[in-house]
Amino acid sequence: MSTVEVPVPTLPFGKRFTRWFGRNTIRIYAVVGFTYLFIPVLYTFAFSFNDSAKSNLTWVGFTFKNWQNPCGAPEVCDALGNSIRIGLIATTVATILGTMIAFALGRHRFRGRSATNTLIFLPMATPEVVLGASLLAMFLNFGINPGFWPTVIAHIMFCISFVVVTVKARIASLDPRLEQAAMDLYANERETFRRITLPLVAPGIAGAALLAFSLSFDDFIITNFNSGTINTFPKFVYVSAGRGIPAQANVVGSSMFFLALFIVLTGELIGRKRRKR
Amino acid sequence: MAFLQAAAKRANSFTGKPSRLPYLLLLPGLAFLSIFFILPILNLAATSTQSPAASGEIGSYVQTFQFSNYVNAFLESREQFARSFIYATLATLLALAISYPLAYAIAFKSGRWKNLLVVLVVAPFFTSFLLRTIAWKQILGENGPVVGPLRALHLIGPQTTLTASAFAVVTGMTYNFLPFMTLPLYASLDRIDPRTLEAAGDLYANGFTTFRKVTFPLSLPGVVAGTLLTFIPAAGDYVNAAILGNPSTKMVGNVIDSRFFRIVDYPTAAALSFMLMAAILILITVYIRRSGTEELI
């Protein structure tokens, strides 16, 4: 965009100030906002280097030993392993089921569409404590003990809606002419889906899977109701909050942060390269 | 001929001649949600009207359609109910005040850093929610960087602490649900064509008038979505109240949790859950109707 420089007469101070305000305050504000967002993350990261014996609430001294031996504190890695297993299974199932629903809603007109939309919206509008309590009450009624699989089921249940919403948004943003063009070039419906639609929707599905995993991995309330004696990472942190959280938990939290950031940024870079091509 | 076939197929999939395909796609997911979401909610409704079994065994109840459970549960926990809604409203308003300028800056002022900044808004999410809440306990605690300066400036008394207070609970809630507010706001602000703002300027609107008459109304769907996505989890939350609060900041979530696990009083827990859910759904419906953004759902 090229603009022609026009000599601007000097504005009165009030106007100059409003302009400056409009141009810069918002940027300064954004910096402050991001600082606020990251202070607790920095705290968590800093305290992962704390040379604390038991309780990691006050600063003792700097050490790398927590990072060298993240499984040093008992239960941390056990809980982490459970969280990852539950997260991977729940993410896979929720992504498949949710994507199917998203395609039905995004690409087809059928009777019961608005009822389906409501059914997808409801779990998101229900507080976690209600979701967790209701599911546990039902499991107990049917004589199913809380544990690993009830937790997986609970996680699939609350992840589906988020997957549907994310993938549906991606499908809605597609240009239908691309698919029409494929069909004009003699691709049949299946080929069009496999070679045009699916690759175009794939980033949305990947994003939905990442969202589902992070929701599942970070969930405490619903898990606490349905997991019984199975320990997950958030549950471990919550339970040990009273008697002191080992610094290894901060190592795990920080690692998850960097890992997720790495995945998202790599995805972003790949997307950028593709767009340039 | 092939062209006609392709055209026919296209008509089939795009104009929506009734087919079985959408139902096949919906079946597994909706069946799952029916069994593990609808059924438990119905079961919860049934549980909420049960009374203790005659045997007197702890945790065993029989169906008696005891609707007075609701009245009793409400009367016992009305303070916690009120607190849940007050704290959630405060946290939502604070989150809106913090997020709006942030989302605005990302949408209009960030240039090529836009995508990176959106990632950064979500990034804190990936550090465990509980670890971040505990970090706030440290930040607001006696050895943290906040209490000292506030005391030195005599803004708070020398004995006043920030942790274990309603202030800390609302702070934690505001922080924890912030991305739920920022992302929808960003999405709706980003959709605004900058030319509409230029047009407002051309029509002699100053910055504030442009914001009030153009930007804000256009971002309303994002405001509605963001406030709902923040308010709902905040109203049902009990983790912030448990970690950052004290016994007099208990919310309805804390009561449901302790009724369920410590007292095994399932009917009361169920009645409270049901009332919480109903209250939230009524609020959402009224709110969406009033703000006129029904296409949201």
Side-chain angles (χ1 to χ4, degrees):
Chain A
M1 209 164 53
S2 68
T3 47
V4 184
E5 286 296 327
V6 181
V8 186
T10 349
L11 293 162
F13 175 76
K15 270 224 166 123
R16 266 197 342 239
F17 180 77
T18 13
R19 284 211 170 172
W20 180 85
F21 189 86
R23 277 181 194 159
N24 288 304
T25 308
I26 200 85
R27 287 200 182 87
I28 297 164
Y29 188 94
V31 173
V32 175
F34 275 111
T35 315
Y36 167 72
L37 273 173
F38 277 91
I39 283 176
V41 180
L42 283 175
Y43 246 79
T44 308
F45 184 56
F47 274 79
S48 71
F49 295 105
N50 191 13
D51 196 1
S52 65
K54 198 118 198 266
S55 164
N56 193 16
L57 280 173
T58 43
W59 184 258
V60 180
F62 186 87
T63 178
F64 276 117
K65 75 167 195 234
N66 307 317
W67 282 85
Q68 282 158 350
N69 187 14
C71 290
E75 295 178 348
V76 171
C77 283
D78 184 37
L80 180 66
N82 281 334
S83 277
I84 293 174
R85 268 193 292 276
I86 292 168
L88 287 178
I89 303 172
T91 302
T92 312
V93 179
T95 306
I96 294 170
L97 297 181
T99 303
M100 285 164 68
I101 298 177
F103 269 105
L105 287 170
R107 273 287 179 264
H108 297 275
R109 317 226 144 266
F110 55 90
R111 286 172 67 109
R113 225 181 111 89
S114 66
T116 308
N117 272 323
T118 311
L119 183 58
I120 298 301
F121 175 75
L122 271 179
M124 294 195 285
T126 310
E128 279 194 68
V129 66
V130 178
L131 290 178
S134 66
L135 206 52
L136 175 61
M138 187 183 81
F139 282 138
L140 291 176
N141 261 7
F142 286 104
I144 301 164
N145 281 325
F148 185 84
W149 288 107
T151 312
V152 170
I153 286 174
H155 283 208
I156 297 171
M157 183 267 292
F158 74 76
C159 285
I160 287 180
S161 302
F162 288 94
V163 173
V164 175
V165 172
T166 315
V167 177
K168 205 173 80 173
R170 179 81 194 178
I171 293 173
S173 74
L174 291 188
D175 189 341
R177 284 173 298 183
L178 290 169
E179 287 162 315
Q180 288 166 12
M183 290 194 174
D184 288 346
L185 294 165
Y186 304 112
N188 64 28
E189 227 165 272
R190 185 176 284 182
E191 279 171 329
T192 309
F193 179 78
R194 199 167 54 85
R195 304 188 52 169
I196 307 291
T197 318
L198 202 57
L200 285 171
V201 181
I205 300 175
L210 195 65
L211 176 69
F213 186 81
S214 67
L215 287 173
S216 159
F217 187 83
D218 209 17
D219 177 74
F220 168 70
I221 296 181
I222 296 174
T223 309
N224 195 32
F225 274 98
N226 291 290
S227 55
T229 54
I230 293 284
N231 215 356
T232 66
F233 183 64
K235 205 174 148 188
F236 167 75
V237 174
Y238 186 81
V239 172
S240 47
R243 54 188 154 89
I245 302 156
Q248 278 85 351
N250 291 43
V251 172
V252 172
S254 308
S255 314
M256 287 304 294
F257 172 75
F258 289 118
L259 184 69
L261 210 57
F262 174 76
I263 294 173
V264 174
L265 290 180
T266 317
E268 179 65 26
L269 279 179
I270 292 171
R272 223 172 244 202
K273 262 193 185 158
R274 281 225 180 117
R275 256 172 271 146
K276 267 188 191 156
R277 236 190 278 153
Chain B
M1 276 307 277
F3 167 76
L4 281 179
Q5 269 173 358
K9 265 181 194 154
R10 191 196 307 160
N12 210 345
S13 65
F14 284 99
T15 58
K17 191 188 141 206
S19 88
R20 265 180 317 176
L21 184 62
Y23 296 107
L24 291 176
L25 286 170
L26 289 172
L27 188 70
L30 294 192
F32 194 96
L33 284 181
S34 306
I35 299 171
F36 297 113
F37 171 68
I38 300 291
L39 205 60
I41 296 288
L42 296 177
N43 178 57
L44 191 75
T47 310
S48 69
T49 57
Q50 289 176 349
S51 358
S55 65
E57 193 189 329
I58 291 172
S60 87
Y61 294 91
V62 284
Q63 190 65 54
T64 51
F65 298 100
Q66 188 86 39
F67 285 100
S68 60
N69 282 349
Y70 279 87
V71 183
N72 293 338
F74 182 75
L75 290 178
E76 273 171 39
S77 329
R78 55 175 182 241
E79 270 177 44
Q80 287 85 343
F81 248 110
R83 224 174 267 138
S84 286
F85 282 89
I86 293 167
Y87 289 178
T89 308
L90 282 175
T92 307
L93 292 176
L94 280 170
L96 181 63
I98 294 168
S99 292
Y100 202 103
L102 199 60
Y104 188 92
I106 300 172
F108 293 116
K109 307 280 175 188
S110 59
R112 62 203 186 88
W113 299 105
K114 202 186 261 184
N115 286 336
L116 181 72
L117 292 179
V118 175
V119 171
L120 285 183
V121 168
V122 200
F125 238 128
F126 295 118
T127 317
S128 168
F129 155 66
L130 284 156
L131 285 175
R132 280 179 289 131
T133 311
I134 288 161
W136 275 111
K137 196 175 172 181
Q138 285 170 284
I139 294 166
L140 299 173
E142 284 305 290
N143 304 313
V146 184
V147 171
L150 285 181
R151 280 194 189 140
L153 292 168
H154 294 285
L155 287 171
I156 57 171
Q159 301 300 319
T160 318
T161 52
L162 294 177
T163 44
S165 65
F167 169 79
V169 178
V170 175
T171 307
M173 282 166 63
T174 308
Y175 179 81
N176 275 321
F177 304 120
L178 205 66
F180 289 123
M181 181 67 91
T182 314
L183 287 183
L185 280 177
Y186 162 75
S188 68
L189 283 168
D190 194 45
R191 235 177 276 145
I192 298 176
D193 188 338
R195 284 174 298 183
T196 54
L197 307 186
E198 282 163 28
D202 291 346
L203 295 165
Y204 302 107
N206 62 26
F208 181 69
T209 314
T210 307
F211 177 77
R212 195 170 55 89
K213 295 218 161 161
V214 182
T215 318
F216 189 73
L218 285 174
S219 69
L220 211 55
V223 174
V224 174
T227 43
L228 286 179
L229 286 176
T230 312
F231 183 84
I232 297 164
D237 176 74
Y238 66 86
V239 176
N240 286 292
I243 293 178
L244 296 166
N246 61 44
S248 69
T249 60
K250 283 214 165 90
M251 298 167 65
V252 70
N254 302 78
V255 183
I256 297 175
D257 181 63
S258 74
R259 287 279 160 174
F260 224 103
F261 288 120
R262 270 172 237 157
I263 315 177
V264 279
D265 180 0
Y266 300 134
T268 308
L272 285 171
S273 304
F274 225 73
M275 281 190 279
L276 177 64
M277 191 181 168
I280 287 178
L281 281 179
I282 291 168
L283 274 176
I284 292 175
T285 317
V286 173
Y287 183 58
I288 291 180
R289 286 266 156 82
R290 288 218 124 183
S291 53
T293 44
E294 273 167 72
E295 77 272 20
L296 198 80
I297 301 172

